[in-house]
Amino acid sequence: MATIAMPLRLTMSMRSPSGPTSRNEPRRESENRWAGSAIIPPIDGDWRHFSPVGESRRYTRKSRFANAGFPLAERPVAILHPAEASRVGGIRRNPMGSTMSKLGHLDRMDAFEFAHYLCLTGVGSNPTLGWTNWFAPIQAVPNAYEFRQEPPAGIVLEVPMPLHTMGIFTSNGVREVVVRHLVKGKPTDVRVPLRPISRLEEEEIAGMMSSSALSYLRNRGSDRILPSIGSSFTMRLGSVDIPFACGRWNDPSRPRRYDVRLNVDALLPSPSDVELAVLECFARGSSAAALAALLTPAGWAQGMGDFQRVIESALLDLLGDRLVNVSVTAWSRCLEGAVPHFTAQLNGLPVPSVC
């Protein structure tokens, strides 16, 4: 039986993938699996990743599916790593989908403290649009961080873009930190001394924060110990439909619905205590009037800043230094086949006569 089976196996491995026998079906599945996941035609004549032409090896039972890919040697192929992409003009296409993050390169790094928090800043450039950049702590090493990047997935325009990233971390009072990034393709640790913060940088960071969070940090002073009691409370405030916000070529008036939420953090024992404080603020009238104005198309066009200031001021008066942060957020979605409420009312009005 062994002398008969071996020639048959060799014949199977050398036959064309288009053979008529059912024995070739597993090989076709293997070829499709290779072509659909990692094997695609080469880009710019680059064959360095995979070139089975001229390779040969003894057939074994373990390598049956590996040998099934050898008919692909009839046309050269290339295995692309996830970060690599095919190119069409000025557009780069990543066929592998999203990729994992990796170390990146920075041209300049700075470190300083703001309200007893460590601030790391980095300046560099990205080769295309769509990159994500951030600093991350190295868990195994204290006071050590690394610069991470995630390349874009899908179709990306090849437009070089400058990057300026910032990371905020808890500071323990050290005067120097270590930042790891790529230098000429190799991971390199760079010592970055902490310098005094400039007035411009302090104003920029303060401008990113809510007035409640800034007040809390100022009241905290030089205390680096986190409080042991605190609660977070989130509630939905309502929604507003904005016509034309999702307009398309075949549906210009398609609306977008925004759902508004209020998030409050305070040094109170339970979320129910925060909820009672929020309800008391709305009972006073000014917060409710500001919210009613926000949840209209005209009020939404003015932004959420007015309502944010009113509700923050009311909560600060009520909770004082126990208030940590107040934020008003909104998430949105396009409506399919829906008409905003006020647009439906307009449809009921009589059509003006034209003279």
Side-chain angles (χ1 to χ4, degrees):
M1 295 297 293
T3 58
I4 296 175
M6 183 59 69
L8 289 175
R9 290 176 182 174
L10 289 174
T11 303
M12 289 172 58
S13 64
M14 297 298 292
R15 291 187 61 168
S16 168
S18 60
T21 63
S22 61
R23 294 180 179 269
N24 286 328
E25 294 301 325
R27 181 168 64 240
R28 286 201 196 99
E29 295 177 1
S30 177
E31 292 168 15
N32 293 336
R33 176 174 59 86
W34 281 50
S37 60
I39 299 181
I40 64 175
I43 309 303
D44 296 334
D46 188 359
W47 311 100
R48 65 184 183 278
H49 299 289
F50 181 72
S51 181
V53 180
E55 294 187 20
S56 62
R57 55 181 166 176
R58 182 176 179 178
Y59 186 90
T60 62
R61 184 179 297 274
K62 293 182 179 180
S63 64
R64 183 177 67 176
F65 289 102
N67 285 341
F70 268 72
L72 292 174
E74 297 175 1
R75 69 178 179 91
V77 294
I79 297 179
L80 296 185
H81 296 290
E84 296 181 347
S86 62
R87 304 179 182 220
V88 180
I91 298 177
R92 175 175 294 177
R93 187 187 303 272
N94 186 353
M96 304 297 290
S98 61
T99 59
M100 298 184 65
S101 64
K102 60 181 181 179
L103 278 177
H105 171 74
L106 288 173
D107 298 331
R108 189 178 74 252
M109 291 170 281
D110 282 321
F112 51 86
E113 278 195 355
F114 172 82
H116 301 284
Y117 282 89
L118 172 66
C119 303
L120 287 178
T121 63
V123 177
S125 61
N126 289 323
T128 67
L129 301 179
W131 285 72
T132 306
N133 314 281
W134 72 95
F135 287 104
I138 301 177
Q139 302 295 338
V141 184
N143 304 316
Y145 307 87
E146 59 184 2
F147 174 64
R148 309 291 301 181
Q149 288 185 308
E150 184 175 339
I155 300 177
V156 179
L157 294 178
E158 292 192 12
V159 180
M161 291 293 295
L163 72 90
H164 190 288
T165 184
M166 174 183 291
I168 307 293
F169 306 94
T170 302
S171 175
N172 55 10
V174 297
R175 308 312 304 169
E176 186 181 71
V177 295
V178 175
V179 179
R180 179 175 299 168
H181 72 137
L182 286 181
V183 177
K184 296 182 179 180
K186 296 182 179 180
T188 304
D189 292 341
V190 179
R191 296 183 179 273
V192 182
L194 270 71
R195 59 169 177 79
I197 186 173
S198 66
R199 182 180 297 274
L200 179 60
E201 290 168 335
E202 189 171 2
E203 292 176 353
E204 288 178 350
I205 298 178
M208 303 176 191
M209 305 168 60
S210 63
S211 58
S212 55
L214 188 59
S215 175
Y216 170 73
L217 289 180
R218 287 174 177 170
N219 293 331
R220 219 177 130 187
S222 60
D223 186 11
R224 299 178 185 270
I225 301 175
L226 294 177
S228 58
I229 297 176
S231 301
S232 299
F233 173 73
T234 300
M235 68 178 296
R236 183 176 179 272
L237 299 177
S239 63
V240 56
D241 295 346
I242 307 300
F244 304 101
C246 284
R248 294 179 175 175
W249 65 271
N250 57 352
D251 188 8
S253 63
R254 187 185 184 197
R256 177 180 291 273
R257 174 166 296 170
Y258 290 89
D259 288 299
V260 184
R261 296 177 181 271
L262 174 67
N263 311 287
V264 181
D265 282 77
L267 301 181
L268 295 176
S270 66
S272 60
D273 297 327
V274 184
E275 181 182 4
L276 291 175
V278 173
L279 293 178
E280 184 174 348
C281 290
F282 279 104
R284 294 182 178 182
S286 59
S287 299
L291 178 61
L294 174 65
L295 297 180
T296 61
W300 188 259
Q302 303 299 322
M304 298 185 293
D306 292 341
F307 172 71
Q308 169 97 18
R309 286 188 290 270
V310 171
I311 190 66
E312 265 190 313
S313 177
L315 287 171
L316 276 173
D317 293 341
L318 189 62
L319 299 178
D321 58 0
R322 293 177 298 172
L323 181 64
V324 177
N325 190 23
V326 177
S327 62
V328 181
T329 59
W331 62 275
S332 66
R333 67 184 187 276
C334 293
L335 300 182
E336 297 289 347
V339 179
H341 177 63
F342 83 98
T343 304
Q345 292 179 342
L346 293 178
N347 290 336
L349 296 178
V351 180
S353 59
V354 179
C355 297

